[in-house]
PDB file of all heavy atoms in Angstrom:
ATOM      1  N   MET P1327     -46.066 -50.366 -22.690  1.00 39.00           N
ATOM      2  CA  MET P1327     -47.237 -50.837 -23.417  1.00 39.00           C
ATOM      3  C   MET P1327     -48.326 -51.158 -22.439  1.00 39.00           C
ATOM      4  O   MET P1327     -48.211 -52.222 -21.740  1.00 39.00           O
ATOM      5  CB  MET P1327     -46.943 -51.949 -24.310  1.00 39.00           C
ATOM      6  CG  MET P1327     -47.141 -51.619 -25.889  1.00 39.00           C
ATOM      7  SD  MET P1327     -48.857 -51.443 -26.396  1.00 39.00           S
ATOM      8  CE  MET P1327     -49.530 -52.993 -25.724  1.00 39.00           C
ATOM      9  N   GLN P1346     -35.428 -64.085 -44.634  1.00 80.00           N
ATOM     10  CA  GLN P1346     -36.264 -63.001 -45.235  1.00 80.00           C
ATOM     11  C   GLN P1346     -37.810 -63.355 -44.944  1.00 80.00           C
ATOM     12  O   GLN P1346     -38.177 -64.538 -45.118  1.00 80.00           O
ATOM     13  CB  GLN P1346     -36.112 -62.884 -46.717  1.00 80.00           C
ATOM     14  CG  GLN P1346     -35.301 -61.650 -47.107  1.00 80.00           C
ATOM     15  CD  GLN P1346     -35.074 -61.472 -48.565  1.00 80.00           C
ATOM     16  OE1 GLN P1346     -34.001 -61.621 -49.058  1.00 80.00           O
ATOM     17  NE2 GLN P1346     -36.210 -61.257 -49.318  1.00 80.00           N
ATOM     18  N   GLY P1347     -38.575 -62.289 -44.623  1.00 82.00           N
ATOM     19  CA  GLY P1347     -40.020 -62.455 -44.700  1.00 82.00           C
ATOM     20  C   GLY P1347     -40.633 -63.117 -43.419  1.00 82.00           C
ATOM     21  O   GLY P1347     -41.832 -63.269 -43.457  1.00 82.00           O
ATOM     22  N   LEU P1349     -41.323 -61.781 -40.531  1.00 87.00           N
ATOM     23  CA  LEU P1349     -42.223 -60.889 -39.870  1.00 87.00           C
ATOM     24  C   LEU P1349     -43.508 -60.769 -40.565  1.00 87.00           C
ATOM     25  O   LEU P1349     -44.621 -60.886 -40.054  1.00 87.00           O
ATOM     26  CB  LEU P1349     -41.514 -59.515 -39.807  1.00 87.00           C
ATOM     27  CG  LEU P1349     -42.046 -58.349 -39.007  1.00 87.00           C
ATOM     28  CD1 LEU P1349     -42.222 -58.745 -37.518  1.00 87.00           C
ATOM     29  CD2 LEU P1349     -41.382 -57.085 -39.111  1.00 87.00           C
ATOM     30  N   ALA P1350     -43.333 -60.725 -41.999  1.00 83.00           N
ATOM     31  CA  ALA P1350     -44.545 -60.639 -42.847  1.00 83.00           C
ATOM     32  C   ALA P1350     -45.384 -61.954 -42.641  1.00 83.00           C
ATOM     33  O   ALA P1350     -46.605 -61.893 -42.562  1.00 83.00           O
ATOM     34  CB  ALA P1350     -44.098 -60.436 -44.246  1.00 83.00           C
ATOM     35  N   THR P1353     -47.234 -61.812 -39.105  1.00 88.00           N
ATOM     36  CA  THR P1353     -48.344 -60.816 -39.147  1.00 88.00           C
ATOM     37  C   THR P1353     -49.447 -61.216 -40.090  1.00 88.00           C
ATOM     38  O   THR P1353     -50.643 -60.961 -39.771  1.00 88.00           O
ATOM     39  CB  THR P1353     -47.819 -59.496 -39.382  1.00 88.00           C
ATOM     40  OG1 THR P1353     -47.004 -59.421 -40.636  1.00 88.00           O
ATOM     41  CG2 THR P1353     -46.927 -58.865 -38.269  1.00 88.00           C
ATOM     42  N   GLU P1354     -49.062 -61.728 -41.215  1.00 88.00           N
ATOM     43  CA  GLU P1354     -50.169 -62.256 -42.250  1.00 88.00           C
ATOM     44  C   GLU P1354     -51.030 -63.240 -41.492  1.00 88.00           C
ATOM     45  O   GLU P1354     -52.334 -63.339 -41.768  1.00 88.00           O
ATOM     46  CB  GLU P1354     -49.419 -62.831 -43.306  1.00 88.00           C
ATOM     47  CG  GLU P1354     -49.590 -62.031 -44.628  1.00 88.00           C
ATOM     48  CD  GLU P1354     -49.100 -62.777 -45.790  1.00 88.00           C
ATOM     49  OE1 GLU P1354     -49.832 -63.634 -46.335  1.00 88.00           O
ATOM     50  OE2 GLU P1354     -47.920 -62.605 -46.115  1.00 88.00           O
ATOM     51  N   ASN P1357     -53.354 -61.515 -39.340  1.00 89.00           N
ATOM     52  CA  ASN P1357     -54.236 -60.555 -39.974  1.00 89.00           C
ATOM     53  C   ASN P1357     -55.318 -61.354 -40.904  1.00 89.00           C
ATOM     54  O   ASN P1357     -56.493 -60.952 -40.894  1.00 89.00           O
ATOM     55  CB  ASN P1357     -53.492 -59.735 -40.965  1.00 89.00           C
ATOM     56  CG  ASN P1357     -52.785 -58.541 -40.276  1.00 89.00           C
ATOM     57  OD1 ASN P1357     -53.266 -58.017 -39.257  1.00 89.00           O
ATOM     58  ND2 ASN P1357     -51.487 -58.191 -40.712  1.00 89.00           N
ATOM     59  N   ASN P1360     -58.062 -62.495 -39.055  1.00 93.00           N
ATOM     60  CA  ASN P1360     -58.958 -61.425 -38.419  1.00 93.00           C
ATOM     61  C   ASN P1360     -58.558 -61.125 -37.047  1.00 93.00           C
ATOM     62  O   ASN P1360     -59.327 -60.761 -36.179  1.00 93.00           O
ATOM     63  CB  ASN P1360     -60.394 -61.897 -38.518  1.00 93.00           C
ATOM     64  CG  ASN P1360     -61.217 -60.663 -38.995  1.00 93.00           C
ATOM     65  OD1 ASN P1360     -60.692 -59.550 -39.329  1.00 93.00           O
ATOM     66  ND2 ASN P1360     -62.473 -60.785 -38.810  1.00 93.00           N
ATOM     67  N   GLY P1361     -57.244 -61.322 -36.793  1.00 92.00           N
ATOM     68  CA  GLY P1361     -56.742 -60.803 -35.455  1.00 92.00           C
ATOM     69  C   GLY P1361     -56.110 -59.541 -35.499  1.00 92.00           C
ATOM     70  O   GLY P1361     -55.541 -59.127 -36.453  1.00 92.00           O
ATOM     71  N   ASN P1362     -56.568 -58.622 -34.593  1.00 85.00           N
ATOM     72  CA  ASN P1362     -56.014 -57.257 -34.539  1.00 85.00           C
ATOM     73  C   ASN P1362     -54.816 -57.133 -33.693  1.00 85.00           C
ATOM     74  O   ASN P1362     -54.891 -57.294 -32.451  1.00 85.00           O
ATOM     75  CB  ASN P1362     -57.162 -56.307 -34.017  1.00 85.00           C
ATOM     76  CG  ASN P1362     -56.669 -54.913 -34.163  1.00 85.00           C
ATOM     77  OD1 ASN P1362     -55.956 -54.566 -35.066  1.00 85.00           O
ATOM     78  ND2 ASN P1362     -57.250 -54.018 -33.287  1.00 85.00           N
ATOM     79  N   VAL P1363     -53.617 -56.838 -34.302  1.00 87.00           N
ATOM     80  CA  VAL P1363     -52.366 -56.704 -33.583  1.00 87.00           C
ATOM     81  C   VAL P1363     -52.425 -55.580 -32.615  1.00 87.00           C
ATOM     82  O   VAL P1363     -52.633 -54.509 -32.985  1.00 87.00           O
ATOM     83  CB  VAL P1363     -51.201 -56.689 -34.457  1.00 87.00           C
ATOM     84  CG1 VAL P1363     -49.812 -56.351 -33.764  1.00 87.00           C
ATOM     85  CG2 VAL P1363     -51.105 -57.972 -35.341  1.00 87.00           C
ATOM     86  N   LEU P1364     -52.146 -55.832 -31.370  1.00 86.00           N
ATOM     87  CA  LEU P1364     -52.130 -54.825 -30.406  1.00 86.00           C
ATOM     88  C   LEU P1364     -50.702 -54.378 -30.020  1.00 86.00           C
ATOM     89  O   LEU P1364     -50.499 -53.254 -29.559  1.00 86.00           O
ATOM     90  CB  LEU P1364     -52.840 -55.253 -29.071  1.00 86.00           C
ATOM     91  CG  LEU P1364     -54.226 -55.600 -29.132  1.00 86.00           C
ATOM     92  CD1 LEU P1364     -54.739 -56.359 -27.870  1.00 86.00           C
ATOM     93  CD2 LEU P1364     -55.103 -54.348 -29.470  1.00 86.00           C
ATOM     94  N   TYR P1365     -49.790 -55.189 -30.258  1.00 88.00           N
ATOM     95  CA  TYR P1365     -48.472 -54.972 -29.874  1.00 88.00           C
ATOM     96  C   TYR P1365     -47.555 -55.881 -30.694  1.00 88.00           C
ATOM     97  O   TYR P1365     -47.851 -57.028 -30.875  1.00 88.00           O
ATOM     98  CB  TYR P1365     -48.337 -55.319 -28.348  1.00 88.00           C
ATOM     99  CG  TYR P1365     -46.895 -55.408 -27.960  1.00 88.00           C
ATOM    100  CD1 TYR P1365     -46.328 -54.401 -27.273  1.00 88.00           C
ATOM    101  CD2 TYR P1365     -46.143 -56.594 -28.101  1.00 88.00           C
ATOM    102  CE1 TYR P1365     -44.883 -54.478 -26.867  1.00 88.00           C
ATOM    103  CE2 TYR P1365     -44.759 -56.801 -27.807  1.00 88.00           C
ATOM    104  CZ  TYR P1365     -44.193 -55.703 -27.136  1.00 88.00           C
ATOM    105  OH  TYR P1365     -42.820 -55.755 -26.728  1.00 88.00           O
ATOM    106  N   LEU P1366     -46.442 -55.282 -31.146  1.00 89.00           N
ATOM    107  CA  LEU P1366     -45.508 -56.107 -31.870  1.00 89.00           C
ATOM    108  C   LEU P1366     -44.025 -55.584 -31.575  1.00 89.00           C
ATOM    109  O   LEU P1366     -43.860 -54.373 -31.738  1.00 89.00           O
ATOM    110  CB  LEU P1366     -45.722 -56.084 -33.354  1.00 89.00           C
ATOM    111  CG  LEU P1366     -44.910 -56.979 -34.240  1.00 89.00           C
ATOM    112  CD1 LEU P1366     -45.733 -57.381 -35.487  1.00 89.00           C
ATOM    113  CD2 LEU P1366     -43.623 -56.235 -34.657  1.00 89.00           C
ATOM    114  N   ASP P1367     -43.137 -56.453 -31.238  1.00 91.00           N
ATOM    115  CA  ASP P1367     -41.773 -56.043 -31.096  1.00 91.00           C
ATOM    116  C   ASP P1367     -40.953 -57.218 -31.606  1.00 91.00           C
ATOM    117  O   ASP P1367     -41.311 -58.314 -31.257  1.00 91.00           O
ATOM    118  CB  ASP P1367     -41.436 -55.700 -29.633  1.00 91.00           C
ATOM    119  CG  ASP P1367     -40.155 -54.956 -29.457  1.00 91.00           C
ATOM    120  OD1 ASP P1367     -39.577 -54.546 -30.499  1.00 91.00           O
ATOM    121  OD2 ASP P1367     -39.648 -54.833 -28.332  1.00 91.00           O
ATOM    122  N   GLN P1368     -39.905 -56.804 -32.407  1.00 90.00           N
ATOM    123  CA  GLN P1368     -39.060 -57.974 -32.963  1.00 90.00           C
ATOM    124  C   GLN P1368     -37.670 -57.548 -32.849  1.00 90.00           C
ATOM    125  O   GLN P1368     -37.366 -56.318 -32.707  1.00 90.00           O
ATOM    126  CB  GLN P1368     -39.487 -58.406 -34.264  1.00 90.00           C
ATOM    127  CG  GLN P1368     -39.594 -57.418 -35.379  1.00 90.00           C
ATOM    128  CD  GLN P1368     -38.492 -56.541 -35.759  1.00 90.00           C
ATOM    129  OE1 GLN P1368     -38.455 -55.352 -35.402  1.00 90.00           O
ATOM    130  NE2 GLN P1368     -37.531 -57.012 -36.570  1.00 90.00           N
ATOM    131  N   ARG P1372     -28.128 -59.941 -35.941  1.00 87.00           N
ATOM    132  CA  ARG P1372     -27.490 -60.164 -37.314  1.00 87.00           C
ATOM    133  C   ARG P1372     -26.233 -61.000 -37.135  1.00 87.00           C
ATOM    134  O   ARG P1372     -25.867 -61.753 -38.066  1.00 87.00           O
ATOM    135  CB  ARG P1372     -27.155 -58.854 -37.883  1.00 87.00           C
ATOM    136  CG  ARG P1372     -28.306 -57.917 -37.969  1.00 87.00           C
ATOM    137  CD  ARG P1372     -28.703 -57.312 -39.257  1.00 87.00           C
ATOM    138  NE  ARG P1372     -30.062 -56.755 -39.101  1.00 87.00           N
ATOM    139  CZ  ARG P1372     -31.060 -57.230 -39.591  1.00 87.00           C
ATOM    140  NH1 ARG P1372     -31.006 -58.454 -40.187  1.00 87.00           N
ATOM    141  NH2 ARG P1372     -32.333 -56.716 -39.444  1.00 87.00           N
ATOM    142  N   LYS P1575     -17.656 -41.244   1.472  1.00 95.00           N
ATOM    143  CA  LYS P1575     -18.415 -41.046   2.817  1.00 95.00           C
ATOM    144  C   LYS P1575     -19.224 -42.236   3.110  1.00 95.00           C
ATOM    145  O   LYS P1575     -19.508 -42.425   4.361  1.00 95.00           O
ATOM    146  CB  LYS P1575     -19.282 -39.837   2.727  1.00 95.00           C
ATOM    147  CG  LYS P1575     -18.545 -38.574   2.679  1.00 95.00           C
ATOM    148  CD  LYS P1575     -19.419 -37.361   2.705  1.00 95.00           C
ATOM    149  CE  LYS P1575     -18.611 -36.082   2.516  1.00 95.00           C
ATOM    150  NZ  LYS P1575     -19.530 -34.879   2.293  1.00 95.00           N
TER     151      LYS P1575
ATOM    152  N   MET J1288     -28.261 -49.762 -33.387  1.00 39.00           N
ATOM    153  CA  MET J1288     -28.217 -50.499 -34.612  1.00 39.00           C
ATOM    154  C   MET J1288     -27.122 -50.020 -35.540  1.00 39.00           C
ATOM    155  O   MET J1288     -27.099 -48.804 -35.954  1.00 39.00           O
ATOM    156  CB  MET J1288     -29.518 -50.278 -35.388  1.00 39.00           C
ATOM    157  CG  MET J1288     -30.402 -51.556 -35.709  1.00 39.00           C
ATOM    158  SD  MET J1288     -29.493 -52.664 -36.794  1.00 39.00           S
ATOM    159  CE  MET J1288     -29.329 -51.607 -38.239  1.00 39.00           C
ATOM    160  N   GLN J1307     -55.396 -52.435 -39.691  1.00 80.00           N
ATOM    161  CA  GLN J1307     -54.749 -53.874 -39.704  1.00 80.00           C
ATOM    162  C   GLN J1307     -53.883 -54.139 -40.833  1.00 80.00           C
ATOM    163  O   GLN J1307     -54.220 -53.718 -41.958  1.00 80.00           O
ATOM    164  CB  GLN J1307     -56.025 -54.927 -39.720  1.00 80.00           C
ATOM    165  CG  GLN J1307     -56.218 -55.497 -38.380  1.00 80.00           C
ATOM    166  CD  GLN J1307     -57.324 -56.564 -38.476  1.00 80.00           C
ATOM    167  OE1 GLN J1307     -58.316 -56.399 -37.853  1.00 80.00           O
ATOM    168  NE2 GLN J1307     -57.099 -57.622 -39.190  1.00 80.00           N
ATOM    169  N   GLY J1308     -52.802 -54.713 -40.642  1.00 82.00           N
ATOM    170  CA  GLY J1308     -52.004 -55.228 -41.874  1.00 82.00           C
ATOM    171  C   GLY J1308     -51.020 -54.313 -42.475  1.00 82.00           C
ATOM    172  O   GLY J1308     -50.401 -54.675 -43.453  1.00 82.00           O
ATOM    173  N   LEU J1310     -48.068 -53.274 -41.380  1.00 87.00           N
ATOM    174  CA  LEU J1310     -46.768 -53.814 -41.319  1.00 87.00           C
ATOM    175  C   LEU J1310     -46.460 -54.940 -42.264  1.00 87.00           C
ATOM    176  O   LEU J1310     -45.415 -54.927 -42.984  1.00 87.00           O
ATOM    177  CB  LEU J1310     -46.535 -54.252 -39.892  1.00 87.00           C
ATOM    178  CG  LEU J1310     -45.159 -54.663 -39.352  1.00 87.00           C
ATOM    179  CD1 LEU J1310     -44.269 -53.447 -39.387  1.00 87.00           C
ATOM    180  CD2 LEU J1310     -45.247 -55.232 -37.909  1.00 87.00           C
ATOM    181  N   ALA J1311     -47.429 -55.831 -42.358  1.00 83.00           N
ATOM    182  CA  ALA J1311     -47.314 -56.860 -43.400  1.00 83.00           C
ATOM    183  C   ALA J1311     -47.188 -56.357 -44.857  1.00 83.00           C
ATOM    184  O   ALA J1311     -46.378 -56.841 -45.610  1.00 83.00           O
ATOM    185  CB  ALA J1311     -48.483 -57.896 -43.214  1.00 83.00           C
ATOM    186  N   THR J1314     -43.658 -54.749 -45.344  1.00 88.00           N
ATOM    187  CA  THR J1314     -42.584 -55.716 -45.351  1.00 88.00           C
ATOM    188  C   THR J1314     -42.731 -56.600 -46.616  1.00 88.00           C
ATOM    189  O   THR J1314     -41.701 -57.116 -47.230  1.00 88.00           O
ATOM    190  CB  THR J1314     -42.516 -56.533 -44.059  1.00 88.00           C
ATOM    191  OG1 THR J1314     -43.797 -57.150 -43.763  1.00 88.00           O
ATOM    192  CG2 THR J1314     -42.039 -55.724 -42.862  1.00 88.00           C
ATOM    193  N   GLU J1315     -43.943 -56.999 -46.965  1.00 88.00           N
ATOM    194  CA  GLU J1315     -44.116 -57.759 -48.202  1.00 88.00           C
ATOM    195  C   GLU J1315     -43.691 -57.042 -49.434  1.00 88.00           C
ATOM    196  O   GLU J1315     -43.043 -57.669 -50.356  1.00 88.00           O
ATOM    197  CB  GLU J1315     -45.713 -57.951 -48.433  1.00 88.00           C
ATOM    198  CG  GLU J1315     -46.084 -59.436 -48.198  1.00 88.00           C
ATOM    199  CD  GLU J1315     -47.502 -59.503 -48.602  1.00 88.00           C
ATOM    200  OE1 GLU J1315     -47.810 -59.671 -49.885  1.00 88.00           O
ATOM    201  OE2 GLU J1315     -48.436 -59.396 -47.726  1.00 88.00           O
ATOM    202  N   ASN J1318     -39.930 -57.580 -49.389  1.00 89.00           N
ATOM    203  CA  ASN J1318     -39.547 -58.993 -49.465  1.00 89.00           C
ATOM    204  C   ASN J1318     -39.805 -59.516 -50.925  1.00 89.00           C
ATOM    205  O   ASN J1318     -38.980 -60.107 -51.540  1.00 89.00           O
ATOM    206  CB  ASN J1318     -40.231 -59.857 -48.601  1.00 89.00           C
ATOM    207  CG  ASN J1318     -39.804 -59.694 -47.128  1.00 89.00           C
ATOM    208  OD1 ASN J1318     -38.580 -59.519 -46.912  1.00 89.00           O
ATOM    209  ND2 ASN J1318     -40.674 -59.838 -46.138  1.00 89.00           N
ATOM    210  N   ASN J1321     -37.353 -58.719 -53.419  1.00 93.00           N
ATOM    211  CA  ASN J1321     -36.065 -59.136 -53.130  1.00 93.00           C
ATOM    212  C   ASN J1321     -35.145 -58.193 -52.289  1.00 93.00           C
ATOM    213  O   ASN J1321     -33.899 -58.191 -52.465  1.00 93.00           O
ATOM    214  CB  ASN J1321     -35.451 -59.642 -54.338  1.00 93.00           C
ATOM    215  CG  ASN J1321     -34.676 -60.993 -54.245  1.00 93.00           C
ATOM    216  OD1 ASN J1321     -34.952 -61.647 -53.219  1.00 93.00           O
ATOM    217  ND2 ASN J1321     -33.881 -61.351 -55.191  1.00 93.00           N
ATOM    218  N   GLY J1322     -35.816 -57.510 -51.463  1.00 92.00           N
ATOM    219  CA  GLY J1322     -34.942 -56.491 -50.622  1.00 92.00           C
ATOM    220  C   GLY J1322     -34.871 -57.269 -49.212  1.00 92.00           C
ATOM    221  O   GLY J1322     -35.765 -57.844 -48.717  1.00 92.00           O
ATOM    222  N   ASN J1323     -33.598 -57.191 -48.683  1.00 85.00           N
ATOM    223  CA  ASN J1323     -33.340 -57.896 -47.479  1.00 85.00           C
ATOM    224  C   ASN J1323     -33.500 -56.847 -46.355  1.00 85.00           C
ATOM    225  O   ASN J1323     -32.609 -55.894 -46.245  1.00 85.00           O
ATOM    226  CB  ASN J1323     -31.989 -58.540 -47.477  1.00 85.00           C
ATOM    227  CG  ASN J1323     -31.709 -59.368 -46.144  1.00 85.00           C
ATOM    228  OD1 ASN J1323     -32.671 -59.813 -45.578  1.00 85.00           O
ATOM    229  ND2 ASN J1323     -30.408 -59.398 -45.822  1.00 85.00           N
ATOM    230  N   VAL J1324     -34.468 -56.999 -45.426  1.00 87.00           N
ATOM    231  CA  VAL J1324     -34.654 -56.013 -44.428  1.00 87.00           C
ATOM    232  C   VAL J1324     -33.521 -56.030 -43.413  1.00 87.00           C
ATOM    233  O   VAL J1324     -33.160 -57.094 -42.849  1.00 87.00           O
ATOM    234  CB  VAL J1324     -35.937 -56.242 -43.608  1.00 87.00           C
ATOM    235  CG1 VAL J1324     -36.146 -55.335 -42.372  1.00 87.00           C
ATOM    236  CG2 VAL J1324     -37.219 -55.958 -44.582  1.00 87.00           C
ATOM    237  N   LEU J1325     -32.762 -54.987 -43.117  1.00 86.00           N
ATOM    238  CA  LEU J1325     -31.713 -54.807 -42.118  1.00 86.00           C
ATOM    239  C   LEU J1325     -32.089 -54.370 -40.914  1.00 86.00           C
ATOM    240  O   LEU J1325     -31.522 -54.610 -39.870  1.00 86.00           O
ATOM    241  CB  LEU J1325     -30.627 -53.951 -42.682  1.00 86.00           C
ATOM    242  CG  LEU J1325     -29.879 -54.477 -44.015  1.00 86.00           C
ATOM    243  CD1 LEU J1325     -29.115 -53.304 -44.551  1.00 86.00           C
ATOM    244  CD2 LEU J1325     -29.248 -55.670 -43.823  1.00 86.00           C
ATOM    245  N   TYR J1326     -33.278 -53.665 -40.890  1.00 88.00           N
ATOM    246  CA  TYR J1326     -33.704 -52.964 -39.678  1.00 88.00           C
ATOM    247  C   TYR J1326     -35.185 -52.638 -39.851  1.00 88.00           C
ATOM    248  O   TYR J1326     -35.634 -52.270 -40.810  1.00 88.00           O
ATOM    249  CB  TYR J1326     -32.864 -51.652 -39.498  1.00 88.00           C
ATOM    250  CG  TYR J1326     -33.474 -50.675 -38.534  1.00 88.00           C
ATOM    251  CD1 TYR J1326     -32.920 -50.587 -37.196  1.00 88.00           C
ATOM    252  CD2 TYR J1326     -34.592 -49.919 -38.853  1.00 88.00           C
ATOM    253  CE1 TYR J1326     -33.588 -49.746 -36.248  1.00 88.00           C
ATOM    254  CE2 TYR J1326     -35.151 -49.037 -37.881  1.00 88.00           C
ATOM    255  CZ  TYR J1326     -34.623 -48.971 -36.601  1.00 88.00           C
ATOM    256  OH  TYR J1326     -35.137 -48.136 -35.707  1.00 88.00           O
ATOM    257  N   LEU J1327     -35.906 -52.798 -38.705  1.00 89.00           N
ATOM    258  CA  LEU J1327     -37.349 -52.418 -38.798  1.00 89.00           C
ATOM    259  C   LEU J1327     -37.729 -52.036 -37.390  1.00 89.00           C
ATOM    260  O   LEU J1327     -37.380 -52.676 -36.386  1.00 89.00           O
ATOM    261  CB  LEU J1327     -38.133 -53.677 -39.209  1.00 89.00           C
ATOM    262  CG  LEU J1327     -39.648 -53.347 -39.421  1.00 89.00           C
ATOM    263  CD1 LEU J1327     -40.125 -54.260 -40.473  1.00 89.00           C
ATOM    264  CD2 LEU J1327     -40.409 -53.579 -38.131  1.00 89.00           C
ATOM    265  N   ASP J1328     -38.296 -50.909 -37.264  1.00 91.00           N
ATOM    266  CA  ASP J1328     -38.948 -50.488 -35.908  1.00 91.00           C
ATOM    267  C   ASP J1328     -40.221 -49.810 -36.297  1.00 91.00           C
ATOM    268  O   ASP J1328     -40.377 -49.151 -37.189  1.00 91.00           O
ATOM    269  CB  ASP J1328     -38.001 -49.573 -35.292  1.00 91.00           C
ATOM    270  CG  ASP J1328     -38.369 -49.391 -33.734  1.00 91.00           C
ATOM    271  OD1 ASP J1328     -39.255 -50.102 -33.226  1.00 91.00           O
ATOM    272  OD2 ASP J1328     -37.778 -48.557 -33.082  1.00 91.00           O
ATOM    273  N   GLN J1329     -41.299 -50.114 -35.509  1.00 90.00           N
ATOM    274  CA  GLN J1329     -42.653 -49.517 -35.766  1.00 90.00           C
ATOM    275  C   GLN J1329     -43.228 -49.147 -34.446  1.00 90.00           C
ATOM    276  O   GLN J1329     -42.787 -49.622 -33.363  1.00 90.00           O
ATOM    277  CB  GLN J1329     -43.416 -50.353 -36.546  1.00 90.00           C
ATOM    278  CG  GLN J1329     -43.765 -51.781 -36.224  1.00 90.00           C
ATOM    279  CD  GLN J1329     -44.294 -52.108 -34.857  1.00 90.00           C
ATOM    280  OE1 GLN J1329     -43.550 -52.476 -33.989  1.00 90.00           O
ATOM    281  NE2 GLN J1329     -45.641 -51.880 -34.772  1.00 90.00           N
ATOM    282  N   ARG J1333     -51.956 -45.966 -30.130  1.00 87.00           N
ATOM    283  CA  ARG J1333     -53.426 -46.506 -30.048  1.00 87.00           C
ATOM    284  C   ARG J1333     -54.401 -45.432 -29.754  1.00 87.00           C
ATOM    285  O   ARG J1333     -55.656 -45.503 -30.215  1.00 87.00           O
ATOM    286  CB  ARG J1333     -53.559 -47.611 -29.024  1.00 87.00           C
ATOM    287  CG  ARG J1333     -52.453 -48.630 -29.172  1.00 87.00           C
ATOM    288  CD  ARG J1333     -52.987 -50.083 -29.280  1.00 87.00           C
ATOM    289  NE  ARG J1333     -51.818 -50.944 -29.758  1.00 87.00           N
ATOM    290  CZ  ARG J1333     -51.729 -51.284 -31.001  1.00 87.00           C
ATOM    291  NH1 ARG J1333     -52.669 -51.043 -31.915  1.00 87.00           N
ATOM    292  NH2 ARG J1333     -50.612 -51.974 -31.430  1.00 87.00           N
ATOM    293  N   LYS J1536     -24.636 -27.138  -2.673  1.00 95.00           N
ATOM    294  CA  LYS J1536     -23.271 -26.622  -2.811  1.00 95.00           C
ATOM    295  C   LYS J1536     -23.025 -25.915  -4.050  1.00 95.00           C
ATOM    296  O   LYS J1536     -22.000 -25.174  -4.286  1.00 95.00           O
ATOM    297  CB  LYS J1536     -22.272 -27.688  -2.616  1.00 95.00           C
ATOM    298  CG  LYS J1536     -22.288 -28.264  -1.113  1.00 95.00           C
ATOM    299  CD  LYS J1536     -21.131 -29.234  -0.907  1.00 95.00           C
ATOM    300  CE  LYS J1536     -21.265 -29.881   0.399  1.00 95.00           C
ATOM    301  NZ  LYS J1536     -20.517 -31.078   0.553  1.00 95.00           N
TER     302      LYS J1536
END
Side-chain angles (χ1 to χ4, degrees):
Chain P
M1327 243 291 305
Q1346 256 181 246
L1349 193 63
T1353 53
E1354 248 188 84
N1357 288 324
N1360 224 13
N1362 185 28
V1363 170
L1364 296 172
Y1365 165 99
L1366 185 150
D1367 196 8
Q1368 52 57 261
R1372 308 227 167 264
K1575 290 184 186 170
Chain J
M1288 240 293 304
Q1307 256 181 247
L1310 192 63
T1314 52
E1315 248 189 84
N1318 287 325
N1321 224 13
N1323 186 27
V1324 170
L1325 296 172
Y1326 166 99
L1327 185 150
D1328 195 9
Q1329 52 57 262
R1333 310 227 166 263
K1536 291 185 186 169

